[in-house]
Amino acid sequence: MTESYPIVEQRSLDPARVKGKFFWRKEYREHGELPRPNAHQVFVYRVDGEYVLDSAQRRLDEEQVVNATHVSLVDLTRDAEVIVELAIPCAEAEDFTMRVTFVCTVTHPVSVVREGRGDAQTLLRAYLKSHHRIFELGLKYRLDEINEVRRDVNAQVKAFTTLKPPVISGIAVELRSVEVLTPDEVRRLMGNRRSLEYQHELDTTQQRLDHSLTKERQHQDQYLERDRSGHDRLLSSDRQAHEQRLEWDRVHHSGVVGIEQQRYELERLADRRAFDREQRGHDRTEVTALGEILRENPDGVLANAYVAGSLDPTDFAERLLTENRHRAEIERTDRQARFDREHEERLYEIERRNEQRRWEREQSREERKWRREDHGLARAETRRKEEITLEVIRELGKHGYLDMTNLDPNMLITKLTGAPSREQLEPGSPAARQGALDDGETDDTGVREEDVS
């Protein structure tokens, strides 16, 4: 409290002033002679050795106020705090500061003034000092052992006030709290220690954050490098697939051009042979016509020549024999030419069929080769997609996302890539059997000459 308790102020009063004369003479006091009370404060007058309580309701000209020689202003605050501080020696030639808080309530203002209990703090300090044990509690403790001192002092003061409660006339006293203030040296020491601990914690946290940042940066670099490698592999795979498609197109174009060239050569050969056959047919027609003329009357020509005298008998006979031989030779030649023509036609038909079958076999072989290459490209693309998908699943597994639900890897691969699963490419599967059928060889037997009718 900033002002004394419970007696706030005390004044000695001079004799009262007198106004009027003779029979109208009257004594009174001025307002300035008395203290100005608050609502919770009362006056106690000393009149003729007695103490009279005044609740600030008496007039200034009343007899007791006029005859009073002393006035005291008493504080009637209920449960007013009175703080007492005592120094307790410690083991380091320093002192602990004990602060004891009491709550006081004035129960009899007249007794307080009569007994002179004007300062409750002084009375309570004397009361605590009467317990000598309190001053020995801190002798075995250092300044930094303040908490142990607090427990001992608290227990000792409470026990003392319980066994021997403070008694002040006209005042009810109750112990409120017992404290031991932290010494300035300990406060500074603890403050420095906390600063060092905070600084250490900040440094540790900074190092942990730096380490975490470095680790995160390394992880990010590894992730970027893995993405870059995956992207390079993807580009390489796409480039290889593109080159394979270009090579396949080139081979296909070359095969088509070669087949067309072979077909053109075969057609040109067939046209040349057809022209030769037509020319030979024309020659045979002329020879046949001449032969028909000779067959109709070959001897008549010679006979007419003989009758005309153009031929002598010997020449006629020789010419007739020669003509007969010539006709026989022509007939033989015709038979041989007809046989050669039929044989040549059979050979041409055989060659044409063989060329047709060879061309069909080449085309079928090229188609099977193209299908095998397409199948190989499809399997390579499927393997590449599976590798990418497995890499994604592996990353998901590292982060624990696969533990959240049950996943079918084949179904996941089919959904992510749209490619057939590995079972479809295993031996014995329908796709594999179809590939085997596509890779099968056709009959490469040519057409024999005796097969042509």
Side-chain angles (χ1 to χ4, degrees):
M1 297 180 64
T2 57
E3 58 183 14
S4 61
Y5 177 86
I7 299 177
V8 178
E9 186 178 354
Q10 291 181 329
R11 290 185 183 181
S12 296
L13 299 177
D14 296 330
R17 296 185 181 186
V18 179
K19 68 176 180 178
K21 295 180 180 181
F22 304 109
F23 299 103
W24 301 102
R25 183 179 181 181
K26 188 177 181 181
E27 296 179 341
Y28 69 96
R29 292 190 180 278
E30 299 285 343
H31 286 283
E33 297 181 43
L34 302 178
R36 185 178 296 273
N38 293 322
H40 59 281
Q41 296 173 349
V42 296
F43 289 130
V44 175
Y45 298 102
R46 183 177 180 181
V47 182
D48 297 331
E50 298 294 334
Y51 293 90
V52 179
L53 178 63
D54 179 10
S55 301
Q57 297 178 356
R58 298 179 183 273
R59 297 189 308 274
L60 296 179
D61 57 354
E62 289 188 9
E63 182 179 358
Q64 291 180 343
V65 176
V66 171
N67 295 330
T69 60
H70 190 281
V71 62
S72 298
L73 184 60
V74 182
D75 190 351
L76 299 181
T77 301
R78 188 174 184 82
D79 294 334
E81 287 189 354
V82 177
I83 299 175
V84 178
E85 292 185 358
L86 292 176
I88 299 176
C90 71
E92 296 178 344
E94 293 290 343
D95 292 332
F96 294 108
T97 300
M98 179 185 68
R99 176 182 291 175
V100 183
T101 302
F102 296 92
V103 290
C104 303
T105 303
V106 175
T107 58
H108 200 282
V110 174
S111 298
V112 171
V113 176
R114 182 187 299 114
E115 299 293 335
R117 307 302 185 183
D119 190 359
Q121 185 180 48
T122 302
L123 298 175
L124 292 174
R125 182 180 291 108
Y127 163 75
L128 292 175
K129 286 183 177 181
S130 65
H131 186 55
H132 302 287
R133 174 64 179 150
I134 294 177
F135 300 95
E136 300 175 357
L137 297 177
L139 295 177
K140 61 180 179 179
Y141 297 109
R142 299 188 305 272
L143 287 177
D144 56 351
E145 297 175 331
I146 184 68
N147 292 327
E148 288 78 4
V149 176
R150 284 170 177 163
R151 283 192 292 268
D152 291 348
V153 170
N154 189 29
Q156 191 65 226
V157 171
K158 287 184 177 180
F160 176 64
T161 56
T162 301
L163 296 176
K164 186 180 179 182
V167 177
I168 301 177
S169 300
I171 302 175
V173 182
E174 180 182 354
L175 178 65
R176 176 60 58 87
S177 64
V178 179
E179 302 175 80
V180 178
L181 303 181
T182 303
D184 294 337
E185 294 83 355
V186 176
R187 185 179 294 105
R188 287 193 296 271
L189 176 63
M190 297 305 294
N192 294 332
R193 181 182 298 175
R194 283 194 300 272
S195 299
L196 292 176
E197 291 177 354
Y198 293 158
Q199 186 64 37
H200 177 69
E201 185 176 357
L202 288 175
D203 294 340
T204 304
T205 304
Q206 183 66 34
Q207 292 178 359
R208 190 184 304 113
L209 291 177
D210 293 340
H211 179 70
S212 177
L213 182 60
T214 303
K215 187 176 181 181
E216 185 68 23
R217 186 179 295 109
Q218 292 177 355
H219 178 72
Q220 186 69 21
D221 293 339
Q222 293 176 358
Y223 184 76
L224 291 176
E225 183 65 26
R226 186 166 56 252
D227 286 348
R228 189 181 300 109
S229 300
H231 182 66
D232 294 340
R233 289 196 300 271
L234 181 62
L235 288 179
S236 177
S237 178
D238 292 342
R239 188 181 300 107
Q240 184 178 3
H242 180 66
E243 292 176 355
Q244 291 178 355
R245 283 195 297 271
L246 291 178
E247 182 65 21
W248 181 85
D249 292 340
R250 187 183 61 79
V251 173
H252 178 69
H253 180 70
S254 300
V256 171
V257 171
I259 293 172
E260 292 295 332
Q261 185 67 27
Q262 292 178 1
R263 183 179 299 172
Y264 172 73
E265 293 293 336
L266 290 175
E267 290 178 356
R268 189 167 63 83
L269 180 61
D271 292 340
R272 185 171 61 252
R273 290 178 179 178
F275 177 76
D276 293 341
R277 284 197 304 273
E278 186 177 357
Q279 185 66 33
R280 286 194 298 270
H282 181 68
D283 294 341
R284 283 195 300 271
T285 301
E286 292 181 353
V287 172
T288 301
L290 180 60
E292 290 294 331
I293 295 174
L294 293 175
R295 278 196 302 271
E296 289 177 358
N297 193 8
D299 297 335
V301 176
L302 295 176
N304 290 331
Y306 177 74
V307 172
S310 300
L311 296 175
D312 57 6
T314 303
D315 293 335
F316 176 73
E318 290 179 356
R319 293 288 298 274
L320 184 60
L321 180 60
T322 302
E323 187 66 28
N324 290 331
R325 289 177 180 175
H326 181 67
R327 279 200 301 271
E329 183 66 24
I330 291 174
E331 291 178 358
R332 188 183 64 79
T333 302
D334 290 340
R335 287 195 302 273
Q336 184 65 34
R338 185 170 55 255
F339 177 77
D340 292 341
R341 184 173 63 254
E342 292 176 356
H343 181 68
E344 185 177 357
E345 289 178 354
R346 286 197 299 272
L347 290 179
Y348 173 75
E349 184 66 23
I350 291 172
E351 185 177 358
R352 187 185 65 80
R353 291 185 181 181
N354 287 335
E355 289 293 333
Q356 182 68 23
R357 290 194 177 187
R358 279 196 297 273
W359 179 79
E360 291 177 354
R361 286 196 301 272
E362 290 293 333
Q363 187 176 11
S364 177
R365 191 175 293 110
E366 290 294 331
E367 290 179 355
R368 289 196 302 273
K369 181 179 178 182
W370 298 337
R371 284 195 296 269
R372 285 195 298 270
E373 291 178 355
D374 292 340
H375 188 60
L377 292 175
R379 284 185 294 180
E381 183 68 18
T382 302
R383 285 195 298 271
R384 182 182 65 81
K385 292 182 178 180
E386 287 181 354
E387 291 176 359
I388 296 174
T389 305
L390 290 176
E391 186 66 21
V392 173
I393 294 176
R394 210 172 286 120
E395 289 298 324
L396 293 176
K398 289 181 180 179
H399 292 83
Y401 293 118
L402 294 180
D403 297 335
M404 299 179 183
T405 180
N406 294 325
L407 295 177
D408 187 358
N410 294 326
M411 184 178 297
L412 181 60
I413 292 173
T414 304
K415 288 183 178 180
L416 292 178
T417 63
S421 61
R422 184 178 295 275
E423 287 78 2
Q424 297 179 357
L425 299 178
E426 294 295 332
S429 64
R433 289 198 296 270
Q434 183 63 31
L437 291 176
D438 292 340
D439 294 340
E441 295 292 338
T442 59
D443 188 12
D444 196 16
T445 306
V447 179
R448 296 175 298 176
E449 182 178 350
E450 56 268 20
D451 293 337
V452 181
S453 59

